[in-house]
Amino acid sequence: MKRYTKAVVAVVAIAVLSLSACGRGGDNASGGSGGGGSKELDIALVSKGFQHQFWQAVKKGAEEKAKELGVKMTFDGPASETEVDAQLQMLQAAIERGPDAIGYAALDPEACVPLLDQAKTSKIPVVEFDAGCNSEVPVTICKTDSKTAGALAAEHMAGLIGKKGKVAIVGHSQINSTGVERRDGFVEKMKSDYPDIQIVDIQYGDGDHIKSADIAKAMLASHSDLAGLYGTNEGSAIGIVDAVNELGLKPGQVKVVGFDSGQAQIDAIKSGVMAGAITQDPLGIGRCTIESAVAAVKGTSQEKVQDTGSYWYDKTNVEDPKISPLLYQ
């Protein structure tokens, strides 16, 4: 863990510990265990970000389920998925507020551990969504099986380039679980099933499309025979698309496979610049998170992992009624 993150975690942990004895004492204590009678449940969600359309779709799904179940919900997240300290402060604020349950998507799987311990001390049940913390405190996680999704991206990339050639990866994180698993699922599938495909480079653009575009352009300059590029999230994929366009490459000259959705990726697929992408079900993740949080308050037993699915889309099925609802725009 970086030194500055350790310092923030220490301060946050001390602050929360000082509040844990009083923040949910007396009448408030019953809220965390579901003993509040007919009181409207209060669920606090702390997301990994706000800037990508994916998170807005997660928020929408959570709002829909909260309205259906008659619970109050808040949704917070940092402006960028690199802002670990800002996210920890949001998690601290949620614990201090003392909601009935917390939903959390971890940017740093280690930095969150002390705070989740404090949530447990404060008797606030925790569920996770999208990416987990290295903690036994959360009762369940609603997420895409990211390794399976990464392997699905590899299968389609292999088919697009004739099962041989050089490819590279523009990742969005080498810390949080989604970035690691989407990368590893892709790499492991290539190594096990496609020995004639060589992964020549893996670099990380933090999900920022400008930074990712610069990385993709450098990769293309270093490997003139590059057959394919894989971007592990919305920002990474759009960065690759921008690089291809800025370099004046013909659509399909380099096979581009993305992850997530959004209007820019849909447009790139329709124009042929991007071959296709893996989409998740962010609305389903949001709904699952609220439903799981309510179940956690009630003490209902749940599966430890709830996979909400992953799907390939391209020109041939982008309008398919089974796929189009998953393409958040």
Side-chain angles (χ1 to χ4, degrees), residues 4 45-56 59 74-92 103-108 129-130 176 206-207:
Y4 75 88
L45 302 191
V46 180
S47 172
K48 283 163 55 178
F50 236 101
Q51 79 278 35
H52 293 153
Q53 290 172 324
F54 176 83
W55 297 115
Q56 291 301 313
K59 180 174 181 282
T74 59
F75 191 99
D76 292 306
S80 166
E81 291 182 31
T82 62
E83 296 180 28
V84 175
D85 294 344
Q87 193 200 40
L88 292 174
Q89 291 165 12
M90 290 174 181
L91 179 57
Q92 175 196 0
Y104 183 63
L107 278 175
D108 186 320
F129 60 102
D130 189 67
N176 75 61
D206 299 326

Side-chain angles (χ1 to χ4, degrees), residues 48 104-106 126-133 138-146 177-178 181 285 288-289 292 302-308:
K48 283 163 55 178
Y104 183 63
V126 178
V127 300
E128 296 176 306
F129 60 102
D130 189 67
C133 182
V139 298
T140 189
I141 183 168
C142 299
K143 68 169 191 172
T144 302
D145 184 329
S146 292
S177 61
T178 59
E181 291 171 7
I285 290 174
C288 175
T289 303
S292 297
Q302 303 182 65
E303 294 290 333
K304 196 68 177 175
V305 177
Q306 301 184 63
D307 179 16
T308 52

Side-chain angles (χ1 to χ4, degrees), residues 81-124:
E81 291 182 31
T82 62
E83 296 180 28
V84 175
D85 294 344
Q87 193 200 40
L88 292 174
Q89 291 165 12
M90 290 174 181
L91 179 57
Q92 175 196 0
I95 295 169
E96 290 176 1
R97 184 164 66 77
D100 294 291
I102 290 173
Y104 183 63
L107 278 175
D108 186 320
E110 294 295 340
C112 50
V113 173
L115 288 176
L116 293 197
D117 288 342
Q118 292 305 323
K120 182 178 180 180
T121 299
S122 299
K123 298 182 180 179
I124 305 173

Side-chain angles (χ1 to χ4, degrees), residues 22-301:
C22 60
R24 294 185 63 79
D27 292 339
N28 285 343
S30 64
S33 60
S38 60
K39 180 179 74 70
E40 180 184 42
L41 292 182
D42 178 11
I43 311 297
L45 302 191
V46 180
S47 172
K48 283 163 55 178
F50 236 101
Q51 79 278 35
H52 293 153
Q53 290 172 324
F54 176 83
W55 297 115
Q56 291 301 313
V58 172
K59 180 174 181 282
K60 181 180 178 182
E63 288 171 339
E64 289 174 356
K65 180 56 70 170
K67 183 178 180 180
E68 177 187 326
L69 297 179
V71 303
K72 185 174 77 171
M73 183 207 86
T74 59
F75 191 99
D76 292 306
S80 166
E81 291 182 31
T82 62
E83 296 180 28
V84 175
D85 294 344
Q87 193 200 40
L88 292 174
Q89 291 165 12
M90 290 174 181
L91 179 57
Q92 175 196 0
I95 295 169
E96 290 176 1
R97 184 164 66 77
D100 294 291
I102 290 173
Y104 183 63
L107 278 175
D108 186 320
E110 294 295 340
C112 50
V113 173
L115 288 176
L116 293 197
D117 288 342
Q118 292 305 323
K120 182 178 180 180
T121 299
S122 299
K123 298 182 180 179
I124 305 173
V126 178
V127 300
E128 296 176 306
F129 60 102
D130 189 67
C133 182
N134 291 341
S135 167
E136 293 301 315
V137 171
V139 298
T140 189
I141 183 168
C142 299
K143 68 169 191 172
T144 302
D145 184 329
S146 292
K147 287 195 78 172
T148 296
L152 182 60
E155 286 180 15
H156 284 277
M157 176 68 84
L160 288 163
I161 65 173
K163 300 183 181 180
K164 61 181 179 181
K166 296 178 180 179
V167 300
I169 301 172
V170 180
H172 67 279
S173 175
Q174 53 185 326
I175 297 174
N176 75 61
S177 61
T178 59
V180 171
E181 291 171 7
R182 291 175 195 177
R183 175 200 68 198
D184 289 352
F186 186 91
V187 170
E188 291 169 10
K189 186 67 173 178
M190 287 301 190
K191 287 182 177 179
S192 65
D193 290 13
Y194 306 105
D196 294 328
I197 295 177
Q198 180 185 3
I199 298 174
V200 295
D201 200 1
I202 304 174
Q203 294 188 44
Y204 304 90
D206 299 326
D208 180 271
H209 70 276
I210 296 174
K211 193 181 297 185
S212 298
D214 289 340
I215 289 171
K217 284 187 282 189
M219 288 174 166
L220 289 162
S222 299
H223 304 280
S224 60
D225 56 348
L226 199 64
L229 278 164
Y230 166 50
T232 64
N233 81 340
E234 182 183 347
S236 306
I238 293 309
I240 295 172
V241 169
D242 289 346
V244 167
N245 287 331
E246 289 169 22
L247 292 173
L249 301 182
K250 295 178 181 179
Q253 185 174 335
V254 175
K255 304 302 182 184
V256 178
V257 169
F259 209 108
D260 292 323
S261 181
Q263 192 61 55
Q265 286 199 81
I266 293 171
D267 291 345
I269 287 172
K270 289 182 176 179
S271 72
V273 175
M274 181 179 285
I278 305 297
T279 189
Q280 306 178 73
D281 183 359
L283 293 170
I285 290 174
R287 296 185 192 109
C288 175
T289 303
I290 292 296
E291 193 166 33
S292 297
V294 171
V297 173
K298 295 179 178 179
T300 305
S301 178

